[in-house]
Amino acid sequence: MMSLTPASELLPAKTRRSTRIGLVAGGLAAYWPQFPALLPQLQESSKYVTDRFTALDAEVVDVGFISDAQEATVAAEKLRRADCDLIVIFLTTYLTASMVLPIAQRSKTPVLVIDLQPTEAMDHANFDTGKWLAYCGQCPVPEVANVFKRAGIEFRSVSGHLKDERAWTRINRWVNAAKVRATLRHARHGLMGHVYPGMLDVSTDLTLVSSQFGSHVEVLEFDDLRVRVDEVTDNQVADRMKLARELFTLDESVREEDFAWGAKVSVGLDRLVEDFDLDSAAYYHRGLNGELHERLGAGMILGSSLLTARGIPFVGEYELRTSLAMLAAHTIGAGGSFTEIQALNFFDDVVEMGHDGPAHLAVSERDPLLRGLGVYHGKRGYGVSVEFDVKQGPVTTFGIGQDRDGSYTFITSEGTVTSGPLLEIGNTTSRVSFGGDPGEWVDEWSQTGIGHHWALCVGHIAGDIHAAASLLGIEHRHVDMADLPQWR
């Protein structure tokens, strides 16, 4: 997980609805009179699991221990009303599928089945039937999987033992996935301006964002920002410039009037986000001859970067899908900075990637730099831009593609940010090694259907993204250079 830099801790994080995990444990009632010591042992195991989940960054709805289909129906109704983001069913010993199916059917919520036996292995010489049954949680897993598949319910499971950290790592991955699902289900995304002319890959059907993710897209005008910027006072501008000086190193190329304008727009952006209760946003406006809307668009990089560091991705070029990916990445502590391919270095076998515009300050290798630019390449306007490189170490590229049938896909690749020469042009540039020929990586990455923007995230999080795709019911595609056939 990402640890925020001291600078980014100066920025208040956005408060969102907690991820809600439903939890139910169960076993077969026929065993309790036969083996009186069994149920208390299983309930103790259930308490341990509850405590582990309660310690996670999530709200836990624990509906207790069930022993038959009737109790399962009652638990299912409680979980349905709780509006959970993930339901975890703990198979403590053998139980019938009839005890599990209603929970998945009625809740209409993704389900994770876990079976964690008490220890690594049984003490065979000293075990009787009752003690063995406490280790029998794996027995019904194929039965439950079979019934789920026949019922058209996605099946996912984690098997292990109670204190098996490998198993808990996999469980935590599903909890992270639930966080992504929860955030996207309840998110409000702003879309301001218009698509960059000719960027056909960026075009996004807004209805599909709501139908596939459950999010709301708020269509905004640049005038919504203009009226709020007009209301910003000189004292607020001075305060924002003071904050920026604490967060950034100012290059000598920064002009005071451009810095002040960026600070004023930043305060206006904060008001826009608050008034429309936004969780992310994307924008672009072409502008003409220095008119006000052009100046607003050119002055947004400082404020957008500050919002992104607070967990409210605010990206340029109308790139709604990338703002969604950045929001998902931030939700699980991986940052996520707006990026595209800049160049390839075949001496060092790295892909140089980055972008002008908004950056996620929390993932910077060093103090981010504010640089003054006389021109934004490919866009009208001038002003201050953010320059840094992402923390050296493991990273994941993560973007959202859209297929011919309109369905969204999560797309990832894992690499490593390495040291070396970087462009000094006000961009968020990083050198990423994917463990092979960078040209081949570009070819494979492009084959996935990715657009030309994505989030560059800290850590190897492809497993978390794969799990999130499963909970959201969409496809995940992953590029791994080690898996490429030799003939490619």
Side-chain angles (χ1 to χ4, degrees):
M1 287 300 167
M2 177 186 68
S3 59
L4 296 180
T5 62
S8 63
E9 292 173 354
L10 296 173
L11 302 171
K14 180 178 174 67
T15 301
R16 295 187 171 93
R17 169 190 175 277
S18 296
T19 304
R20 198 168 294 157
I21 306 295
L23 187 60
V24 59
L28 190 63
Y31 295 150
W32 313 152
Q34 293 178 317
F35 311 101
L38 178 59
L39 179 58
Q41 181 183 359
L42 300 181
Q43 290 173 326
E44 186 64 28
S45 293
S46 177
K47 181 180 182 303
Y48 177 83
V49 168
T50 298
D51 290 344
R52 287 290 298 250
F53 273 96
T54 302
L56 299 175
D57 182 23
E59 176 186 346
V60 178
V61 180
D62 186 355
V63 298
F65 197 100
I66 59 174
S67 299
D68 54 38
Q70 291 88 345
E71 291 180 359
T73 300
V74 173
E77 182 60 19
K78 291 179 181 177
L79 292 171
R80 184 191 66 80
R81 293 197 303 267
D83 186 29
C84 297
D85 303 298
L86 177 69
I87 291 175
V88 179
I89 302 175
F90 177 25
L91 310 182
T92 64
T93 185
Y94 177 77
L95 49 67
T96 63
S98 64
M99 295 172 58
V100 175
L101 184 60
I103 294 171
Q105 286 178 316
R106 297 194 180 196
S107 66
K108 300 188 184 302
T109 298
V111 172
L112 171 66
V113 173
I114 65 173
D115 51 284
L116 305 174
Q117 64 187 39
T119 65
E120 293 88 339
M122 293 185 292
D123 180 3
H124 298 80
N126 297 302
F127 267 35
D128 57 17
T129 302
K131 291 181 179 179
W132 156 60
L133 287 172
Y135 285 73
C136 201
Q138 290 81 10
C139 179
V141 175
E143 176 180 340
V144 173
N146 174 278
V147 172
F148 273 25
K149 288 184 181 298
R150 291 164 68 180
I153 297 169
E154 185 77 20
F155 177 79
R156 51 190 71 86
S157 66
V158 173
S159 301
H161 62 86
L162 277 178
K163 298 184 179 180
D164 180 359
E165 291 308 317
R166 296 171 302 179
W168 281 104
T169 295
R170 289 152 57 205
I171 292 170
N172 290 344
R173 183 174 296 150
W174 287 110
V175 173
N176 280 341
K179 292 178 182 179
V180 172
R181 180 176 184 267
T183 298
L184 293 182
R185 282 178 67 212
H186 298 277
R188 291 173 52 83
H189 312 290
L191 196 57
M192 184 168 66
H194 60 83
V195 70
Y196 189 107
M199 284 187 183
L200 302 182
D201 63 321
V202 168
S203 297
T204 298
D205 185 330
L206 306 190
T207 302
L208 295 178
V209 177
S210 297
S211 62
Q212 294 191 41
F213 294 139
S215 301
H216 170 78
V217 179
E218 186 75 15
V219 177
L220 305 171
E221 303 283 355
F222 257 72
D223 288 324
D224 291 318
L225 175 62
R226 174 185 58 81
V227 297
R228 288 164 174 81
V229 171
D230 285 345
E231 296 170 351
V232 176
T233 67
D234 291 342
N235 286 339
Q236 290 171 327
V237 171
D239 288 343
R240 186 54 51 95
M241 293 172 73
K242 180 177 181 293
L243 174 63
R245 287 190 175 96
E246 293 182 60
L247 293 168
F248 296 90
T249 298
L250 266 64
D251 186 76
E252 60 184 14
S253 60
V254 174
R255 298 169 51 191
E256 189 71 10
E257 58 266 36
D258 293 340
F259 185 22
W261 175 246
K264 186 170 185 175
V265 174
S266 174
V267 176
L269 284 172
D270 283 2
R271 290 182 176 176
L272 184 78
V273 165
E274 182 177 354
D275 290 347
F276 288 96
D277 191 24
L278 301 180
D279 293 283
S280 80
Y283 69 92
Y284 177 75
H285 181 78
R286 182 171 53 190
L288 185 66
N289 295 332
E291 51 85 29
L292 180 56
H293 293 90
E294 176 186 307
R295 293 189 63 223
L296 286 169
M300 291 176 66
I301 293 176
L302 172 60
S304 297
S305 295
L306 296 179
L307 284 168
T308 300
R310 291 175 51 199
I312 308 168
F314 214 110
V315 307
E317 298 184 8
Y318 214 61
E319 190 41 289
L320 175 61
R321 295 200 309 276
T322 300
S323 71
L324 294 173
M326 291 168 63
L327 176 61
H330 182 90
T331 298
I332 59 176
S337 205
F338 193 51
T339 194
E340 65 185 3
I341 298 170
Q342 293 178 324
L344 306 181
N345 183 323
F346 291 96
F347 289 118
D348 301 331
D349 280 347
V350 296
V351 180
E352 297 185 38
M353 59 178 66
H355 207 283
D356 62 357
H360 197 309
L361 307 183
V363 302
S364 178
E365 175 68 20
R366 55 186 62 85
D367 286 345
L369 179 77
L370 272 186
R371 185 182 293 279
L373 297 182
V375 62
Y376 295 136
H377 71 273
K379 293 177 279 292
R380 296 189 59 85
Y382 56 87
V384 294
S385 188
V386 175
E387 179 179 300
F388 73 74
D389 57 323
V390 170
K391 292 178 180 179
Q392 293 178 23
V395 292
T396 302
T397 55
F398 168 39
I400 300 177
Q402 188 168 3
D403 287 349
R404 184 176 182 177
D405 63 0
S407 60
Y408 290 133
T409 57
F410 281 177
I411 303 170
T412 58
S413 188
E414 294 180 338
T416 304
V417 168
T418 63
S419 61
L422 301 170
L423 286 173
E424 298 180 356
I425 59 170
N427 280 206
T428 59
T429 304
S430 299
R431 294 158 41 94
V432 186
S433 169
F434 292 97
D437 184 323
E440 289 191 40
W441 181 84
V442 172
D443 294 337
E444 294 299 318
W445 183 242
S446 302
Q447 286 282 348
T448 63
I450 190 74
H452 79 282
H453 300 121
W454 50 85
L456 183 59
C457 314
V458 294
H460 283 167
I461 62 166
D464 299 271
I465 301 304
H466 178 81
S470 172
L471 297 191
L472 288 164
I474 65 175
E475 184 180 351
H476 170 235
R477 297 170 188 160
H478 181 67
V479 173
D480 186 342
M481 297 296 289
D483 290 341
L484 296 185
Q486 292 299 312
W487 51 265
R488 291 299 296 271

